[in-house]
Amino acid sequence: MKKLLVLVSLISFITTPNKAFSKAWAAVDTTILSFSDNSLNKRVTVISTGNKDLDIPISFNLEKLLTELGLDEEQTQSILSNIKNDKYQSDTLNVISPSGQKLQILGIASPHKFPREEEYTNEYESEDNWESESNEDKYSPESSPKFFPKSDFGFYFGLNNYKNSSSTAPSQLSKLRPWGSRYVAFSFRKNATISKSKNLDLALSYGPEFAIYNFMFENSNGLLNQNDQVSFETLEYDTKKSKLTVPYINLPILLSLGTKNKGFKLSLGGYMGYRIGSHTKTKDTDGNKEKIRDGFNLHRFNYGLTSEIGKKSGLSFFFRYDLRPLFESNQINAKKIQAYSFGIRL
């Protein structure tokens, strides 16, 4: 809907015997006139809504304008009387003329103060008596900016651990150092907006990521692979570091909900992963290092559940849980060990 904004400001009135008129054609719905009325000692703003051909004289006052807009004598005098008696300061008076024009009249006590455009525009738009469209009705999903960008890059940093859901608990030798067992991932994500409204956006988020699981064992324990069976053992030498590292290429798929008024986002979904290697690494107390590359009877494919929560601009918190056990089902000492990770996403 187009709007024509006509702003006429007259600081003083010049009385002339011959009236010259200019034509203001309101081919659109809103005309705004602002002028000083010396007879009232007021600066007045009149907002007119309707398709009416207005004759705007070079020399005019509020009384002449109200008459031109179609108000009768009784309505006109009532309005002028209220303004003169200072009962009407910065409030808004709503009037509907016999011709159907919808009018808002703003009166300011001092003729030297001009109301800012946003003051009367916002009041005009929020007035219920006008029976105009509410701000919600005027909302256009197409014109609203999307909450989620088309793509983004994420860096994950957190901690790993695992649990055993079988009746046979893993050996004490399999325990991990909580702060040494770190999870790191780099994510390249696409966000496809499914729906959006004034306050909520729903998007499908997906894209590849490179993730690394690090499982740091306590004391001088380590993971060995002998006769197609893995076992957690105490090594023959003291270690400063002993860990199992498992990298994956993952594909997470999430439904992401964003709240525009709070800048809050929540994502829920799952992921599939492909193991691209694995190795153990030890460092003894003398500084000697050893790395053994092996499959360690780990599953090649992985899958699980994931969730993220946070702010649109800033970090998010994530949690991941592997539904598939870390090791293959024929393993006796590492049966049904399931990994999980948690931390922050930047």
Side-chain angles (χ1 to χ4, degrees), residues 151-156 183-190 205-211 250-252 254 308 320 345-346:
S151 61
D152 63 74
F153 171 80
F155 171 69
Y156 292 82
Y183 175 88
V184 178
F186 302 91
S187 170
F188 303 90
R189 181 176 293 177
K190 293 287 186 180
S205 302
Y206 60 93
E209 70 176 23
F210 174 66
N250 292 333
L251 177 63
L254 305 96
E308 297 179 14
R320 293 193 172 186
R345 180 183 189 266
L346 301 174

Side-chain angles (χ1 to χ4, degrees), residues 207-252:
E209 70 176 23
F210 174 66
I212 301 175
Y213 289 73
N214 288 291
F215 301 102
M216 186 78 68
F217 300 106
E218 285 188 345
N219 303 319
S220 295
N221 301 324
L223 183 71
L224 301 178
N225 186 17
Q226 297 174 340
N227 302 321
D228 202 33
Q229 288 288 323
V230 295
S231 60
F232 301 97
E233 305 284 347
T234 299
L235 302 178
E236 296 177 351
Y237 49 89
D238 294 333
T239 64
K240 288 184 177 180
K241 179 187 297 185
S242 176
K243 69 175 182 177
L244 168 67
T245 299
V246 188
Y248 289 92
I249 296 294
N250 292 333
L251 177 63

Side-chain angles (χ1 to χ4, degrees), residues 30-35 44-50 62 65-66 69 71 79 83 88 91-97 101-107 117-132:
T30 303
T31 302
I32 301 177
L33 302 174
S34 184
F35 55 91
V44 180
T45 299
V46 178
I47 303 174
S48 172
T49 303
L62 180 59
L65 180 60
L66 295 178
L69 291 172
L71 273 68
I79 293 171
I83 295 176
Y88 172 59
D91 297 327
T92 301
L93 183 62
N94 298 315
V95 180
I96 299 179
S97 72
Q101 295 288 107
K102 295 178 180 179
L103 310 177
Q104 274 191 320
I105 305 172
L106 287 75
E117 180 179 341
E118 60 267 24
E119 290 177 353
Y120 54 71
T121 301
N122 291 338
E123 192 168 8
Y124 165 74
E125 291 180 349
S126 63
E127 183 59 51
D128 294 337
N129 296 333
W130 283 80
E131 300 178 356
S132 60

Side-chain angles (χ1 to χ4, degrees), residues 9-15 35-38 43 58-60 111:
S9 299
L10 303 177
I11 305 304
S12 62
F13 293 93
I14 304 174
T15 305
F35 55 91
S36 294
D37 191 327
N38 288 343
R43 179 176 285 279
I58 292 177
S59 177
F60 73 107

Side-chain angles (χ1 to χ4, degrees), residues 14-21 59 64:
I14 304 174
T15 305
T16 58
N18 296 324
K19 296 178 181 177
F21 292 90
S59 177
K64 292 178 182 180

Side-chain angles (χ1 to χ4, degrees), residues 162-177:
Y162 47 57
K163 63 180 288 295
N164 190 318
S165 60
S166 68
S167 57
T168 304
S171 167
Q172 290 290 103
L173 301 178
S174 67
K175 283 190 175 182
L176 303 175
R177 297 180 187 177

